[in-house]
Amino acid sequence: MIKKRGDADKKTEAYYRGLMHAAGYRSKDLNKPQIAIVNSWTEANPGHVPLRALANRVKEGIWAAGGMPCEFNVPAPCDGIAQGEGQHYILPLRDLIAGSVESMVMAHGFQGVVMLASCDKIIPGMIMAAIRMNLPTVFLTGGAMMPFKSGDRELVTSDLKETIGLRQKGGIDKSQFLALQEKICTSSGTCSMMGTANTMGCFLEATGVAPFGSTTLLASESAKIRQARDMGERIVRLVEENQQFCSFFNRSSFENGVKYISASGGSTNAVLHLMAFASLMDLDLDLSDFDQIQSSVPVVAKFKPASEYNISDFHHVGGVPTLLNSIRESLSLDVPLVTGGILRSAVDAAPRPDGTIVRTASDPILAGGCFQILYGNLAPTGAVIKKTGVDPKMFIHTGPAIVFESEEDLRLHMMNREIKPGSVLVIRNEGPKGGPGMRELSIPAAMLVGMGLHKSVAMITDGRFSGATRGPCVGHVTPEAWDNGPLAFVQDEDLVEINIPESRLQLLIDDLELEKRKANKSRRSERVTRGILSAYRSQAAGAEKGAIWL
């Protein structure tokens, strides 16, 4: 049994009970299962704005089921807002969120946890905490943003990023540009595209630790209120039954989640987070093992920006359960769900694939998963590309390198100089240590699309890309340049080969030349860091291990 907190007969609990009385709790409340509501509500991130109201509904469910809710908050940064310098802090914050959740829950002795989260690093941080704590835990996301209707088109956040390149090219005028800035993000909720936020939210559903539909529902729908009450009631039952997190989140459900992400054309950032989870779960999983799992399923759906369909479209044809139905032959269907029952029952009850937004496994968009793990003399321990976001004409590409030492150097070049079709843009010193923080080169990648260059120009970096990135963008190159990985020795005009079918990322110089460059490499220029960034640089693991810090 889980240790009960606050027993009035225990003299040593008097101090605890006295302080909780001061917080407004009654004696009989303190005798109930004590549930932490970990809320990432903030006014600084549209994906998390709905969570303040949902927390109150969760509390209603907990009280109704005989539990005692207690809410506290954690940081919730937005990857889209934290571009440029702010991006240095985003990945370290994932681990800080994990550490803060674990520390608060364990310090106060809560018996169960409801995690309220929506966005890119917050969901992974909370999962990391849940793995470590292994208490009864359920997740609930805030829901999706409403798409913006413009004539016969529906626009979402990724379209806004691409307008930057369109404006730079002269494709729209200033008034149109400003109007789109104001209108595209039309409500609170997670951006209605298959970026990292919705990839990880749907992963929660696919692994059975969040209710189905919680990610794909609009944030404004009344069903969110009902879900919140349900999750409040459910967590009390899980505590009473001592159903620990590992009862639901284990190797079988984890592999189901990997397969779901791959089949849905999910974010490359998911690879980073999944490797971190695997490490914390002691699964003995490396990138090649991950590749074997994800490539075992076909891609049966693609969403904005890789297709015309948004997250609401996905929801209307059945969402995550329908996609799982499509790939059911590849899944472990007898895993339990936090909502009760097993996955098989949910999949059996799901609508069948519509054949357009979600296709059948026998008629896929692409065989062999949505990712490709690339290896070669530029990435001895691996690199990641989302092949479903790449035009097939760019699956094999060789071009001359243009080398940049930071994202800022790249942006300056893109704004002021011509980029020749066929080029390979190499951006280094953006890895976990080099950045530090493994920044997301989201805007430069989207600018290439807006400039019409994503079918002729490739990008390679030891940093990251957005889940919404499309085009031949290779990220997570390891070892990173800061650790004297091969990326550190690329020079302008070197020919670089990207070969997705053969899983290859190769610098086309001979081995002797590469070794000569390594021997003559001058000391890297130190980027001065302090505080959190300095600590992260000194302790972060490589991207192939999930860039775990804490």
Side-chain angles (χ1 to χ4, degrees):
M1 289 292 293
I2 293 177
K3 181 182 177 182
K4 188 172 181 180
R5 188 72 204 261
D7 190 334
D9 293 333
K10 290 186 177 179
K11 296 181 178 64
T12 53
E13 289 292 301
Y15 196 29
Y16 167 80
R17 293 178 70 88
L19 291 167
M20 292 300 284
H21 288 321
Y25 293 98
R26 304 166 298 176
S27 290
K28 64 180 180 180
D29 298 333
L30 297 175
N31 295 330
K32 299 173 181 178
Q34 294 176 28
I35 310 299
I37 300 175
V38 184
N39 194 352
S40 53
W41 171 83
T42 176
E43 293 178 336
N45 181 342
H48 293 251
V49 168
L51 297 179
R52 170 181 265 180
L54 283 182
N56 290 328
R57 304 300 189 173
V58 172
K59 290 174 189 175
E60 291 173 2
I62 292 171
W63 285 122
M68 189 199 91
C70 188
E71 179 185 357
F72 67 88
N73 295 84
V74 295
C78 173
D79 282 44
I81 292 171
Q83 290 297 314
E85 285 297 310
Q87 266 288 327
H88 289 295
Y89 290 88
I90 290 296
L91 189 56
L93 262 166
R94 178 197 68 179
D95 292 46
L96 287 172
I97 290 165
S100 66
V101 174
E102 176 191 358
S103 299
M104 182 67 178
V105 169
M106 302 309 288
H108 275 229
F110 290 105
Q111 296 164 269
V113 186
V114 178
M115 303 280 199
L116 296 181
S118 287
C119 289
D120 299 18
K121 303 304 174 292
I122 300 87
I123 292 173
M126 289 187 176
I127 292 174
M128 290 166 68
I131 294 169
R132 288 177 173 139
M133 297 183 302
N134 199 28
L135 295 171
T137 303
V138 299
F139 284 78
L140 184 65
T141 57
M145 183 183 290
M146 187 179 298
F148 170 63
K149 292 186 179 294
S150 176
D152 60 352
R153 298 178 65 206
E154 287 192 338
L155 304 180
V156 302
T157 314
S158 57
D159 295 301
L160 177 58
K161 287 192 292 185
E162 292 177 7
T163 63
I164 299 171
L166 189 62
R167 172 68 178 139
Q168 174 68 10
K169 186 182 177 182
I172 55 173
D173 62 27
K174 182 179 178 181
S175 62
Q176 292 172 307
F177 187 49
L178 294 177
L180 288 172
Q181 286 182 46
E182 187 172 319
K183 294 178 179 178
I184 283 184
C185 298
T186 192
S187 74
S188 61
T190 55
C191 303
S192 191
M193 59 190 186
M194 195 53 76
T196 308
N198 286 316
T199 297
M200 298 312 299
C202 291
F203 171 81
L204 294 172
E205 297 182 37
T207 53
V209 297
F212 287 118
S214 56
T215 301
T216 55
L217 271 168
L218 288 176
S220 57
E221 292 190 54
S222 59
K224 292 301 302 181
I225 296 172
R226 298 193 293 273
Q227 281 183 344
R229 286 187 176 134
D230 288 344
M231 288 301 96
E233 291 180 349
R234 187 61 186 157
I235 189 61
V236 177
R237 298 284 87 83
L238 292 176
V239 170
E240 291 173 344
E241 297 166 5
N242 195 20
Q243 293 275 13
Q244 296 171 311
F245 190 61
C246 67
S247 300
F248 305 96
F249 198 84
N250 48 44
R251 181 157 198 142
S252 293
S253 61
F254 174 87
E255 291 190 4
N256 282 348
V258 172
K259 292 171 183 177
Y260 162 79
I261 289 174
S262 184
S264 64
S267 167
T268 52
N269 282 319
V271 181
L272 191 74
H273 303 317
L274 293 167
M275 295 308 296
F277 304 159
S279 177
L280 294 176
M281 296 167 72
D282 296 322
L283 294 186
D284 191 25
L285 191 85
D286 61 20
L287 275 178
S288 61
D289 298 320
F290 171 87
D291 196 24
Q292 186 175 10
I293 297 168
Q294 73 88 25
S295 64
S296 68
V297 293
V299 179
V300 295
K302 292 200 301 184
F303 301 98
K304 285 271 193 174
S307 82
E308 65 199 87
Y309 304 116
N310 58 50
I311 296 303
S312 290
D313 295 325
F314 185 30
H315 184 74
H316 292 150
V317 298
V320 173
T322 289
L323 193 145
L324 293 176
N325 192 318
S326 177
I327 61 168
R328 61 181 300 150
E329 298 304 320
S330 300
L331 301 175
S332 298
L333 292 173
D334 293 324
V335 295
L337 310 174
V338 296
T339 51
I342 61 173
L343 182 61
R344 183 183 303 278
S345 299
V347 170
D348 286 345
R352 298 298 184 261
D354 70 313
T356 302
I357 297 173
V358 177
R359 294 166 70 165
T360 63
S362 60
D363 180 32
I365 296 169
L366 187 70
C370 80
F371 306 117
Q372 197 77 35
I373 307 300
L374 306 180
Y375 297 95
N377 67 356
L378 263 183
T381 51
V384 180
I385 190 168
K386 181 176 173 178
K387 62 186 178 185
T388 51
V390 181
D391 188 286
K393 295 177 183 177
M394 292 292 286
F395 273 24
I396 300 174
H397 177 74
T398 299
I402 307 175
V403 180
F404 303 92
E405 300 299 334
S406 69
E407 179 188 358
E408 285 76 13
D409 288 349
L410 171 64
R411 286 203 201 191
L412 189 64
H413 186 98
M414 294 179 76
M415 296 298 291
N416 296 298
R417 298 180 63 182
E418 180 185 5
I419 296 176
K420 295 180 180 179
S423 301
V424 177
L425 310 180
V426 176
I427 309 95
R428 60 191 176 203
N429 294 314
E430 290 291 358
K433 295 178 183 177
M438 201 178 180
R439 288 193 292 181
E440 173 185 283
L441 277 65
S442 168
I443 289 180
M447 286 175 67
L448 277 184
V449 176
M451 296 164 75
L453 293 172
H454 62 294
K455 295 183 181 180
S456 62
V457 174
M459 298 177 72
I460 297 174
T461 183
D462 47 10
R464 300 181 292 115
F465 289 104
S466 165
T469 293
R470 58 184 173 128
C473 297
V474 181
H476 307 200
V477 174
T478 58
E480 62 175 294
W482 188 264
D483 282 336
N484 288 321
L487 205 66
F489 310 107
V490 181
Q491 297 179 1
D492 286 342
E493 300 301 324
D494 283 346
L495 289 179
V496 176
E497 178 197 15
I498 301 170
N499 190 317
I500 293 175
E502 296 184 12
S503 304
R504 188 164 61 249
L505 180 62
Q506 196 78 0
L507 180 63
L508 300 181
I509 62 174
D510 62 48
D511 293 342
L512 289 176
E513 173 62 19
L514 182 56
E515 291 305 315
K516 179 181 176 182
R517 292 183 188 181
K518 289 180 180 179
N520 294 334
K521 174 69 176 175
S522 59
R523 180 174 171 77
R524 64 192 175 209
S525 58
E526 294 284 344
R527 293 183 185 174
V528 177
T529 59
R530 294 181 296 176
I532 294 300
L533 296 183
S534 179
Y536 187 80
R537 169 173 284 168
S538 67
Q539 299 175 49
E544 76 280 9
K545 297 179 180 178
I548 287 181
W549 167 31
L550 295 175

